[in-house]
Amino acid sequence: MHSPDLPTPDILRSASHWGAFRVQVQNQRLVGVQPFEHDPHPGQMIHVWPQMQHSPLRIPRPLVRRGWLAGDGGAARGRDDFIPVEWDVALDHVASELDRVRTVHGNSAIFGGSYGWSSAGRLHHARTLLHRFLNTLGGFTGQVTNYSYGAVMAFLPRILGSAEAVAGPVTTWHSIGEHCDLLLAFGGLASKNWEIHSGGGGQHRLQDWLALLRKRPVSVLNISPQRDDVAASVGARWLPLRPNTDTALILALSYCLVRDGLEDKAFLARHCTDFGPLRSYLLGEADGQAKSPTWAAEITGIDANEIEALARQLVGKRVLLTAAWSLQRARHGEQSYWALVALASILGQVGLPGGGFAFGYGSMGAMGNPLYDSPIRGLPVGVNPVGISIPVARVADLLLQPGQEADFNGQRLIYPDTRLVYWAGGNPFHHHQDLNRLRLAFRRPETVVVHDNFWTATARHADIVLPVTTTLERNDIGGSSRDPFLLAMHQALPPEGQARDDYDIFASLAERLGLREAFTGGRSANAWLPELWAGMRQALAERGLDAPDFETFWRKGYYELPEAGRDFFLFERFRADPDKYPLKTPSGRIELFCEAVARFGYEGQTGHPLWLDPEEWLGAPLARTYPLHLLTPQPETRLHGQMDGSELSRDGKRDGREVLRLHPADAASRGLNEGDIVRVFNPRGACLASLALSDGVARGVAVLPTGATFDPDDTRQADGMLEKHGNPNVLTRDVGTSELGQGCAAHSCLVEVERFCGPVPAVTAFDPPWLMSKIA
Ligand SMILES: Nc1nc2c(c(=O)[nH]1)N[C@H]1C(S)=C(S)[C@@H](COP(=O)(O)OP(=O)(O)OC[C@H]3O[C@@H](n4cnc5c(=O)[nH]c(N)nc54)[C@H](O)[C@@H]3O)O[C@H]1N2
Ligand SMILES: Nc1nc2c(c(=O)[nH]1)N[C@H]1C(S)=C(S)[C@@H](COP(=O)(O)OP(=O)(O)OC[C@H]3O[C@@H](n4cnc5c(=O)[nH]c(N)nc54)[C@H](O)[C@@H]3O)O[C@H]1N2
Ligand SMILES: [Mo]
């Protein structure tokens, strides 16, 4: 499909968070895709595109919920029918609701945080466009941090001066491959997570980087409840531990070193704030309990001798300590990262090549890549005059508790009274915890507007549903900050049904509110592309790189950046001269004791890393009733809830239901067998899943990946009592990690599992909803 206002490309190309690809179109249908020719190890997910593009789950046209039109107050959200309307009618409704709410209640009553991954293209990134649009309108209540590493995104700057060690760039694989002897990987280096790069990546290279580890070789220890968290080819040793107990293990390793006088006193003195309080906590001087291997064995389930032996192995070697982002997605998740920073400081290896600490190597594609310093960017969002933002994972609290206060990282938030929720490019009924609670929260506002390509559970809980184009139906530029390619994304197909671009929808709404120019800057979406390219080209020119003009870039379809550093490692300059290159902390040092944290007086916090009870874990009193720790990792066959309607996602399930993994002994003690349909439950909810047995899962642990579309059995009397598809977020707890980070704490969750008795209800998540045929 040719866009007359743009140059004609040589080959049609596009990109998604799961990879770049070339497009094959016949008779206005997508018939296949081929991987980007420069991707050495393309993933499987790109081949899902033809099915999803023409899926019956595409939202066909604008729709309005029947009860909303009748003024029902929202009680039927998620169970109601939808009435098809013309675009103009739908846009009039949205514009007049926005106008009414901002006039009557003020802009803070519009909740437009709209967390979510949207699409890879940076221009058409829905969440960015929504923020830009709402800012032209006078602002909105927003969201800060993320679900991925939100707790430490807020917290690490307190102790390290920035969140770079988790957000990147982190110490490169080249540096590790060349210098590291021992890699302690808490939460492993999960290969499946490398399928994904935010923004669209040209290259998947984990295999290449793991080969570097084998070459040196680097010994890898997989400290995780799951054996498969490190690829078998690495030959890692597996040290299973109870979920959420990493902090105790790390403290015990620290204790051994300090007990034996092996801490790097010079590094601690010169580069860290007062080590005294942590030292005395480790030795038990403060609370009478040494954080010894015997103490940690009780908590972690790892033998005390094994912990002693591991502490000895850390001495005299170059050691890199790393943790997956999952560790901090748990109650007191801040502590595991802080403890790891402390252990690396005790070893004195922070700022050495291939040593010290860095996070997330198994959490996302391209973490630890050589530096490319990609200039990829989208449209500016402007300024939000409202100035209120909640941490992303506090969304249900916001909706349920207007006027209430909450502590966050030294600030006191007051939740505004939300009247209108606007979501474009995210799926809270995928990403949030305790979905039965979220359902109640979503029934509170007066109006809920959702843009999506597909019938997600969130779209089903909206009042006004607007269908949007996919990436293949518009022109864009993609790329990820850690990837070497800037990618042209060509429109290959006309919009399916009545879909419109998010950009055009916001432009039309802005027009109705007299703000079109302010939103569009006088440009169509296509007219922005050469403009965005010019900005990136300019940034490259400042680095001495001669990128081609827009026309050449667009025709060829990609631009490859040269490496800007292959041996990069964190904290090099700080190590060399902490006075000249201080950290951006109040002390300029690594804060192993943090005065601000001590001052906040948050429950349990003393100012240094410590073991705090995560409340729902295998050592908790509640584990007597709910004896399994539920982990809900990222799914292997999709991105979050996206692509759930595809064959690939279905292949990862069994009989159409998500698969729960359990150790054979835990199944046997419950009389359960492979393939049973089980009910997974706790006081918050219950879901069905198909049982698989695996000795690669630690005892006491149940694993149910996220992303099966929320499918509540609304025919039962008690609302929310059974989810049929295997969505684990009906079970997870909706609580912040702590007042420090207020991140998502999904990984602190206890459940019980039993065989499901009675007729098994069918999965209905993929039946398109209840459209009333009348056009309003
Ligand atoms: N229990 C548990 N829950 C978790 C996690 C966990 O580990 N455990 N992980 C969390 C994490 S790290 C994350 S990042 C979140 C992810 O949560 P989300 O980012 O909300 O999940 P996605 O399914 O990627 O949602 C993106 C939505 O945007 C839509 N979309 C795509 N392109 C466009 C577009 O062009 N326009 C519009 N309007 N929409 C578009 C997609 O169809 C999809 O519905 O989940 C979190 N939830
Ligand atoms: N295929 C695929 N890849 C993805 C995504 C996707 O949806 N699909 N989503 C992307 C996104 S948005 C993000 S944020 C990242 C997330 O990246 P991560 O958070 O690293 O990914 P997870 O799969 O949640 O967790 C990785 C492993 O951590 C282990 N783990 C869980 N809890 C604990 C614990 O308490 N202690 C220890 N030691 N280990 C634990 C689990 O065994 C799990 O397999 O993944 C990205 N990559
Ligand atoms: Mo994430």
Side-chain angles (χ1 to χ4, degrees):
M1 173 138 182
H2 173 57
S3 309
D5 47 349
L6 291 171
T8 310
D10 300 341
I11 302 177
L12 286 177
R13 296 169 180 280
S14 195
S16 46
H17 297 299
W18 44 99
F21 53 92
R22 291 171 287 170
V23 179
Q24 293 166 280
V25 174
Q26 270 169 22
N27 302 327
Q28 305 219 323
R29 284 186 77 82
L30 181 67
V31 292
V33 306
Q34 289 173 323
F36 182 48
E37 56 272 43
H38 299 291
D39 190 343
H41 310 287
Q44 50 180 350
M45 293 182 194
I46 49 170
H47 299 290
V48 164
W49 266 108
Q51 282 167 42
M52 291 313 289
Q53 175 61 31
H54 305 293
S55 156
L57 287 169
R58 288 292 299 272
I59 299 169
R61 53 174 302 135
L63 296 142
V64 180
R65 190 174 65 79
R66 181 169 51 159
W68 184 82
L69 282 174
D72 74 350
R77 270 185 205 120
R79 296 172 159 197
D80 210 350
D81 306 320
F82 287 93
I83 297 180
V85 296
E86 300 298 344
W87 264 109
D88 277 344
V89 175
L91 293 169
D92 287 346
H93 280 310
V94 177
S96 67
E97 271 302 278
L98 283 167
D99 201 36
R100 179 186 69 81
V101 170
R102 73 170 168 163
T103 312
V104 178
H105 304 284
N107 282 69
S108 67
I110 301 172
F111 177 59
S114 189
Y115 181 81
W117 269 55
S118 311
S119 63
R122 297 294 90 177
L123 170 62
H124 287 284
H125 188 253
R127 189 185 189 212
T128 305
L129 295 175
L130 173 62
H131 291 176
R132 181 179 167 91
F133 165 66
L134 292 177
N135 282 340
T136 65
L137 234 76
F140 60 99
T141 295
Q143 282 169 304
V144 289
T145 72
N146 59 28
Y147 277 79
S148 313
Y149 48 77
V152 294
M153 186 175 177
F155 174 66
L156 282 187
R158 292 228 168 262
I159 59 160
L160 297 172
S162 87
E164 187 184 2
V166 64
V170 292
T171 301
T172 62
W173 290 96
H174 283 104
S175 180
I176 302 170
E178 190 145 333
H179 300 280
C180 180
D181 300 315
L182 176 59
L183 175 60
L184 260 53
F186 290 83
L189 304 167
S191 304
K192 51 128 178 114
N193 286 345
W194 268 67
E195 290 240 351
I196 303 298
H197 306 40
S198 174
Q203 294 191 327
H204 293 85
R205 298 198 63 185
L206 181 63
Q207 279 109 310
D208 301 345
W209 306 146
L210 295 182
L212 289 179
L213 298 184
R214 287 195 298 276
K215 195 155 157 239
R216 179 171 163 81
V218 180
S219 305
V220 178
L221 195 54
N222 173 27
I223 306 172
S224 179
Q226 291 200 79
R227 186 181 53 212
D228 295 346
D229 280 338
V230 178
S233 66
V234 174
R237 190 158 76 84
W238 181 35
L239 194 60
L241 90 171
R242 285 169 155 183
N244 290 195
T245 66
D246 305 75
T247 305
L249 173 60
I250 299 162
L251 290 170
L253 295 170
S254 306
Y255 164 86
C256 293
L257 296 168
V258 171
R259 177 199 60 197
D260 298 343
L262 294 170
E263 74 272 31
D264 187 330
K265 297 183 184 68
F267 185 85
L268 291 169
R270 186 148 184 246
H271 292 83
C272 304
T273 52
D274 188 6
F275 181 55
L278 176 57
R279 182 192 164 84
S280 106
Y281 171 75
L282 291 172
L283 296 174
E285 292 167 2
D287 58 359
Q289 173 63 67
K291 306 307 167 298
S292 64
T294 320
W295 168 81
E298 182 83 2
I299 296 171
T300 60
I302 302 174
D303 188 77
N305 294 323
E306 179 110 42
I307 300 176
E308 280 285 354
L310 177 55
R312 279 196 299 276
Q313 280 173 47
L314 300 179
V315 180
K317 295 197 184 70
R318 184 61 55 82
V319 181
L320 183 69
L321 304 174
T322 188
W325 297 343
S326 56
L327 266 80
Q328 57 80 65
R329 228 177 289 120
R331 276 292 274 169
H332 302 297
E334 299 88 359
Q335 300 300 325
S336 54
Y337 274 47
W338 202 359
L340 215 57
V341 170
L343 177 56
S345 304
I346 288 168
L347 289 169
Q349 296 197 7
V350 179
L352 291 178
F357 65 87
F359 302 106
Y361 289 99
S363 299
M364 184 93 59
M367 289 296 291
N369 264 4
L371 309 194
Y372 294 105
D373 214 357
S374 170
I376 185 76
R377 64 184 67 163
L379 285 187
V381 296
V383 178
N384 183 350
V386 167
I388 303 174
S389 287
I390 60 157
V392 281
R394 304 282 27 91
V395 50
D397 289 358
L398 165 79
L399 299 177
L400 288 168
Q401 304 169 351
Q404 281 201 25
E405 298 189 348
D407 282 307
F408 171 44
N409 199 15
Q411 293 164 255
R412 175 61 59 91
L413 304 170
I414 303 174
Y415 295 128
D417 190 359
T418 305
R419 303 296 172 127
L420 186 150
V421 171
Y422 207 129
W423 226 291
N427 187 356
F429 281 87
H430 160 74
H431 65 233
H432 199 53
Q433 285 55 69
D434 197 349
L435 293 181
N436 292 315
R437 182 172 186 254
L438 185 71
R439 240 185 164 193
L440 298 178
F442 254 66
R443 292 185 175 146
R444 296 287 294 256
E446 288 154 9
T447 299
V448 177
V449 184
V450 168
H451 298 191
D452 207 299
N453 319 111
F454 299 99
W455 275 119
T456 61
T458 301
R460 290 169 200 248
H461 284 80
D463 299 317
I464 303 174
V465 180
L466 303 181
V468 300
T469 51
T470 64
T471 281
L472 289 174
E473 296 161 359
R474 61 203 186 197
N475 296 296
D476 213 327
I477 300 177
S480 140
S481 58
R482 298 182 272 264
D483 185 82
F485 288 93
L486 298 173
L487 302 160
M489 298 167 60
H490 304 127
Q491 181 176 356
L493 296 162
E496 191 93 0
Q498 295 189 19
R500 291 190 184 173
D501 296 350
D502 295 281
Y503 184 93
D504 292 337
I505 296 171
F506 292 130
S508 306
L509 291 172
E511 167 136 29
R512 283 169 167 73
L513 297 162
L515 294 161
R516 188 183 175 97
E517 258 318 279
F519 174 73
T520 64
R523 290 188 179 87
S524 67
N526 281 350
W528 270 111
L529 291 171
E531 200 61 30
L532 284 181
W533 178 256
M536 295 185 234
R537 195 173 176 216
Q538 173 67 28
L540 293 171
E542 282 159 21
R543 277 156 48 190
L545 296 171
D546 187 17
D549 61 18
F550 176 74
E551 175 156 354
T552 312
F553 162 72
W554 193 253
R555 283 185 193 284
K556 183 174 176 199
Y558 59 91
Y559 171 72
E560 185 174 4
L561 293 150
E563 282 180 9
R566 150 183 292 240
D567 301 317
F568 170 79
F569 53 97
L570 286 166
F571 303 109
E572 180 180 7
R573 293 193 312 177
F574 167 68
R575 182 188 182 87
D577 191 342
D579 294 322
K580 195 163 168 206
Y581 303 106
L583 301 183
K584 293 193 188 86
T585 53
S587 59
R589 302 294 189 263
I590 297 174
E591 303 231 337
L592 298 188
F593 183 78
C594 179
E595 269 174 27
V597 172
R599 202 173 55 238
F600 296 154
Y602 295 152
E603 203 185 337
Q605 309 281 350
T606 55
H608 61 71
L610 79 174
W611 162 252
L612 290 170
D613 184 327
E615 294 129 20
E616 291 201 21
W617 64 294
L618 292 173
L622 191 68
R624 285 196 283 273
T625 325
Y626 297 98
L628 294 169
H629 192 125
L630 181 72
L631 293 180
T632 54
Q634 309 289 8
E636 194 167 338
T637 53
R638 51 186 180 259
L639 171 64
H640 313 136
Q642 300 194 49
M643 300 175 267
D644 189 35
S646 71
E647 272 169 31
L648 181 64
S649 180
R650 200 167 59 231
D651 288 349
K653 298 177 189 164
R654 209 191 271 144
D655 306 325
R657 244 170 275 268
E658 192 48 77
V659 176
L660 176 100
R661 266 174 302 153
L662 214 52
H663 190 279
D666 288 321
S669 66
R670 289 168 176 78
L672 300 173
N673 300 307
E674 177 84 28
D676 282 352
I677 300 288
V678 290
R679 179 174 165 265
V680 194
F681 62 99
N682 65 17
R684 289 179 289 267
C687 71
L688 299 182
S690 175
L691 183 67
L693 308 187
S694 164
D695 63 3
V697 174
R699 291 288 305 268
V701 174
V703 181
L704 185 61
T706 61
T709 303
F710 176 59
D711 192 13
D713 186 350
D714 285 332
T715 61
R716 306 209 162 209
Q717 291 276 304
D719 193 12
M721 284 326 288
L722 189 68
E723 197 281 338
K724 302 176 282 184
H725 194 190
N727 185 313
N729 273 330
V730 297
L731 300 158
T732 50
R733 187 174 170 211
D734 184 8
V735 62
T737 50
S738 82
E739 291 89 343
L740 288 177
Q742 289 289 13
C744 158
H747 285 311
S748 301
C749 176
L750 290 173
V751 297
E752 179 54 299
V753 174
E754 63 178 18
R755 181 175 296 110
F756 182 70
C757 301
V760 181
V763 171
T764 50
F766 305 122
D767 299 349
W770 332 276
L771 303 190
M772 309 283 292
S773 52
K774 197 170 141 280
I775 306 255

